[in-house]
């Protein structure tokens, strides 16, 4: 039988705040309760009224703090009977949104984006090769099949979506939640990037994906890492070529990737 997790320790009392208008101070106290283990995934916070009384602030201040924590992914709000604000581990959506906003504002240049992918992608491939399980492999194989079928139907939108999703699935196979968050954020920035560059041919992508699957099946970490590096280097050249920043010698050109 599965072993039930130990119950959460009893929360220590919240402390009245000196700065009664500071919703950041409310957030700091809630984070402190989480860090101390007094609040865990799935636990419900006291009601707005109870929190306001314990902290000595207005309900509007508490409401603002809860809204901020919800946006960051740390709280999940439920309505109706049994509802309230619940501790939530989140999925890194706040990181993705923040980086996407930076990209839209021009604070992150395409060169920085592709450079980050070149650093992160091979490391993700290596760990995924070591750690994938049957569920991961099935998801990756289904993804490549979806991409191939979309390519045969000339469904460029579905093909691009599948190609981007492959990177997220590979990151999930790494079993490292930080790499998952970072990969998801970079992929969403690439999605923005591709809306400017337009659709690209897919033959190179499919060939690379098939090779990657084979490396994964054999647990060949060196080959998987090299495949990821070569793929991302080629992608970087194609992106920059489309932007008129990098000239790729004619004799070295192949069918460019899609994502």
């Amino acid at each position: 039988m599965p072993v039930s997790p130990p119950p959460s320790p009893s929360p220590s009392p919240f402390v009245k705040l000196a700065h009664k208008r500071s919703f950041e101070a409310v957030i700091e106290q809630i984070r402190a309760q989480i860090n101390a283990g007094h609040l865990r995934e799935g636990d419900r916070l006291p009601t707005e009224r109870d929190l306001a009384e314990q902290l000595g602030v207005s309900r509007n201040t508490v409401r603002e703090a809860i809204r901020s924590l919800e946006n960051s992914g740390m709280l999940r709000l439920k309505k109706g009977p049994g509802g309230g604000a619940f501790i939530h581990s989140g999925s890194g959506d706040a990181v993705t949104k923040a980086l996407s906003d930076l990209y839209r504002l021009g604070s992150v240049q395409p060169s920085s984006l592709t450079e980050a992918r070149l650093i992160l992608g091979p490391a993700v491939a290596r760990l995924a090769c070591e750690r994938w399980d049957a569920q991961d492999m099935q998801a990756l194989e289904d993804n490549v099949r979806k991409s191939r079928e979309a390519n045969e139907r000339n469904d460029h939108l579905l093909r691009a979506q599948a190609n981007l999703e492959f990177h997220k699935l590979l990151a999930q196979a790494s079993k490292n939640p930080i790499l998952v968050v970072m990969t998801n954020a970079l992929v969403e920035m690439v999605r923005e990037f591709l809306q400017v560059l337009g659709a690209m041919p897919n033959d190179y992508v499919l060939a690379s994906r098939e090779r990657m699957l084979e490396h994964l099946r054999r647990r060949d970490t060196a080959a998987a890492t090299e495949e990821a590096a070569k793929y991302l280097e080629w992608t970087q050249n194609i992106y920059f070529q489309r932007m008129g920043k990098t000239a790729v010698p004619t004799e070295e050109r192949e069918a460019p990737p899609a994502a």
Side-chain angles (χ1 to χ4, degrees):
M1 295 179 62
V3 179
S4 300
S8 302
S10 299
S12 58
F14 287 96
V15 180
K16 287 187 181 295
L17 301 173
H19 304 290
K20 296 185 178 182
R21 293 188 303 172
S22 176
F23 76 95
E24 289 95 346
V26 177
I27 292 174
E28 288 176 5
Q29 285 223 31
I30 293 174
R31 290 184 186 277
Q33 295 278 358
I34 294 171
N35 291 338
H38 299 311
L39 289 172
R40 296 178 179 173
E41 171 80 15
D43 287 347
R44 181 170 58 181
L45 287 180
T47 64
E48 286 183 3
R49 176 181 296 174
D50 288 342
L51 266 180
E53 290 178 356
Q54 292 182 50
L55 295 168
V57 298
S58 69
R59 292 181 64 177
N60 284 337
T61 298
V62 170
R63 190 173 299 119
E64 189 173 1
I66 289 175
R67 186 181 302 115
S68 178
L69 288 172
E70 180 192 18
N71 290 336
S72 72
M74 185 168 285
L75 291 181
R76 183 178 69 251
L77 302 186
K78 293 182 180 180
K79 296 181 179 180
F86 293 82
I87 304 299
H88 181 53
S89 61
S91 59
D93 289 345
V95 175
T96 299
K97 291 177 182 177
L99 286 177
S100 292
D101 287 343
L102 287 174
Y103 180 78
R104 293 188 189 102
L105 292 169
S107 299
V108 175
Q109 297 300 314
S111 58
S112 297
L113 171 57
T114 57
E115 182 179 64
R117 293 186 79 200
L118 280 166
I119 294 171
L120 189 67
V124 167
R126 177 177 62 81
L127 291 178
C129 200
E130 296 173 354
R131 300 174 179 177
W132 65 263
D133 56 30
Q135 185 175 357
D136 295 320
M137 180 57 68
Q138 185 64 58
L140 288 164
E141 290 175 342
D142 289 345
N143 174 274
V144 173
R145 181 172 61 253
K146 181 188 300 183
S147 179
R148 187 185 306 109
E149 292 172 351
N151 192 51
E152 292 171 354
R153 298 196 304 269
N154 291 320
D155 189 334
H156 302 300
L157 178 59
L158 180 60
R159 187 191 72 194
Q161 291 173 346
N163 289 339
L164 289 170
E165 186 67 20
F166 183 89
H167 300 292
K168 294 184 177 182
L169 295 173
L170 198 63
Q172 290 173 16
S174 77
K175 311 303 183 189
N176 185 311
I178 295 177
L179 292 180
V180 170
V181 170
M182 294 172 66
T183 298
N184 289 350
L186 292 178
V187 165
E188 291 310 311
M189 292 173 71
V190 171
R191 194 186 306 277
E192 300 272 347
F193 193 32
L194 291 176
Q195 289 179 0
V196 176
L197 296 183
M200 296 185 183
N202 198 51
D203 292 343
Y204 183 90
V205 178
L206 284 173
S208 178
R209 296 290 193 261
E210 295 288 1
R211 290 193 298 268
M212 179 61 78
L213 287 179
E214 189 57 32
H215 301 328
L216 293 171
R217 294 187 188 103
R218 296 199 312 267
R219 304 275 186 189
D220 189 338
T221 55
T225 301
E226 183 179 6
E227 183 66 43
K230 286 183 176 179
Y231 171 80
L232 292 170
E233 287 169 0
W234 178 255
T235 301
Q236 183 185 56
N237 280 339
I238 296 301
Y239 289 170
F240 284 7
Q241 181 186 2
R242 285 284 181 97
M243 294 164 54
K245 291 187 175 183
T246 298
V248 180
T250 303
E251 63 272 19
E252 297 180 8
R253 295 176 186 172
E254 299 177 25

